[in-house]
Amino acid sequence: MSLYKYSSPAVFFPLAGKLVPWFTVLAVVFFVIGLYLGLVAAPEDFQQGEVYRIIFIHVPAAWMAMFIYLVMAMYGVMALTFNTRLSAMMMEALAPTGAMFTALALWTGALWGKPTWGTYWAWDARMTSTLILLFLYIGYLALVTRLKTRSVPIRLARCWSSSVPLMCRSFIFPLSGGIPCIRVHRCR
Amino acid sequence: MNWAAIFSLDGRAFYIWGSFGAFAIAMILEIILVRMRSKRAQAGIEEEVMADKVKGRAK
């Protein structure tokens, strides 16, 4: 059996449809556990107080923003090498979600920055690269929705996969020192 | 923790509920938008399959 057959949307969609209810159940379960741990079980931060709880949505949102970008790049490479129809479709399907998580990361970051750093926005490398990431998503969406030809996603795939090192380099290095220090009573 | 404390959160309620509120709205929007995109994608595939069939017949 070859996995290549799933690169055809007509074969992939029935499988995806069968998996959706299972993933929905998993998502709801993890959602409830995550919210309980973040809002109820986790103790207050001794420096920041309650406001640090934004971390439980800010960081996953920022992670998803980058992760979806990488997954789109992966599909871009697959679209280029195998010229499969599903790869380009997956890129198109992921872009709005990626844009949403990037916007969410910026929004929650601003709301966390104000009470902890005293400002909603600063032009530091991490924030600026996240803003550029949002523009990349919006630019991709604008092109894909405007130009409905098959060759466009392929050409975009090439740009997308080649821009990954740029985004990763500007993001991962400042990330290590960026997040406001979290200390919890229990750890002291 | 009582209800008043949950709504004030040391005076930081705007930041915390502003974040969690935006998150909740985004999640609800995401479910609606994904359904719309899924329907559109399936309709697109059906159209393509039909077009392929028509082409096959023409040959």
Side-chain angles (χ1 to χ4, degrees):
Chain A
M1 191 201 79
S2 165
L3 280 175
Y4 286 113
K5 69 177 182 187
Y6 289 110
S7 64
S8 155
V11 182
F12 176 78
F13 264 82
L15 173 77
K18 268 182 218 154
L19 291 175
V20 163
W22 297 100
F23 286 130
T24 308
V25 170
L26 273 180
V28 170
V29 168
F30 285 129
F31 206 83
V32 171
I33 294 171
L35 281 178
Y36 170 78
L37 289 175
L39 291 174
V40 181
E44 197 182 307
D45 181 65
F46 99 105
Q47 263 184 335
Q48 291 186 32
E50 297 286 359
V51 84
Y52 89 102
R53 291 185 197 278
I54 294 171
I55 198 173
F56 299 119
I57 46 171
H58 173 70
V59 174
W63 255 96
M64 285 304 283
M66 286 187 289
F67 183 66
I68 291 173
Y69 185 83
L70 276 172
V71 173
M72 280 179 72
M74 190 193 76
Y75 278 120
V77 170
M78 279 165 74
L80 281 174
T81 46
F82 301 112
N83 198 16
T84 45
R85 213 170 352 168
L86 190 69
S87 314
M89 283 183 78
M90 290 297 245
M91 277 185 86
E92 263 186 76
L94 280 165
T97 308
M100 186 206 76
F101 276 114
T102 315
L104 204 57
L106 287 169
W107 174 259
T108 54
L111 284 179
W112 193 12
K114 184 66 179 168
T116 43
W117 293 329
T119 179
Y120 284 109
W121 183 261
W123 290 102
D124 91 323
R126 208 161 20 94
M127 295 181 206
T128 311
S129 59
T130 311
L131 187 66
I132 293 169
L133 184 61
L134 181 66
F135 292 156
L136 283 171
Y137 276 123
I138 293 171
Y140 174 85
L141 281 169
L143 281 170
V144 161
T145 49
R146 196 76 190 87
L147 309 162
K148 272 285 172 200
T149 56
R150 280 286 156 208
S151 64
V152 171
I154 298 293
R155 260 181 247 156
L156 279 172
R158 196 174 303 153
C159 306
W160 204 263
S161 43
S162 59
S163 65
V164 162
L166 180 92
M167 283 312 295
C168 290
R169 198 182 305 158
S170 60
F171 212 98
I172 288 167
F173 289 130
L175 193 67
S176 51
I179 293 166
C181 186
I182 300 291
R183 281 180 233 163
V184 177
H185 289 291
R186 212 179 280 163
C187 299
R188 295 185 77 204
Chain B
M1 196 184 239
N2 59 26
W3 286 107
I6 288 168
F7 284 113
S8 75
L9 292 168
D10 321 332
R12 303 277 174 77
F14 167 71
Y15 305 109
I16 299 168
W17 294 125
S19 296
F20 277 86
F23 169 70
I25 292 166
M27 285 304 112
I28 292 163
L29 270 179
E30 174 69 5
I31 292 167
I32 298 166
L33 291 175
V34 161
R35 281 193 178 171
M36 280 167 60
R37 268 182 272 160
S38 168
K39 270 182 196 162
R40 209 183 308 150
Q42 284 190 38
I45 292 166
E46 276 162 23
E47 258 175 42
E48 278 181 29
V49 169
M50 287 300 283
D52 285 349
K53 274 184 188 168
V54 171
K55 257 188 208 169
R57 267 179 217 153
K59 275 177 191 172

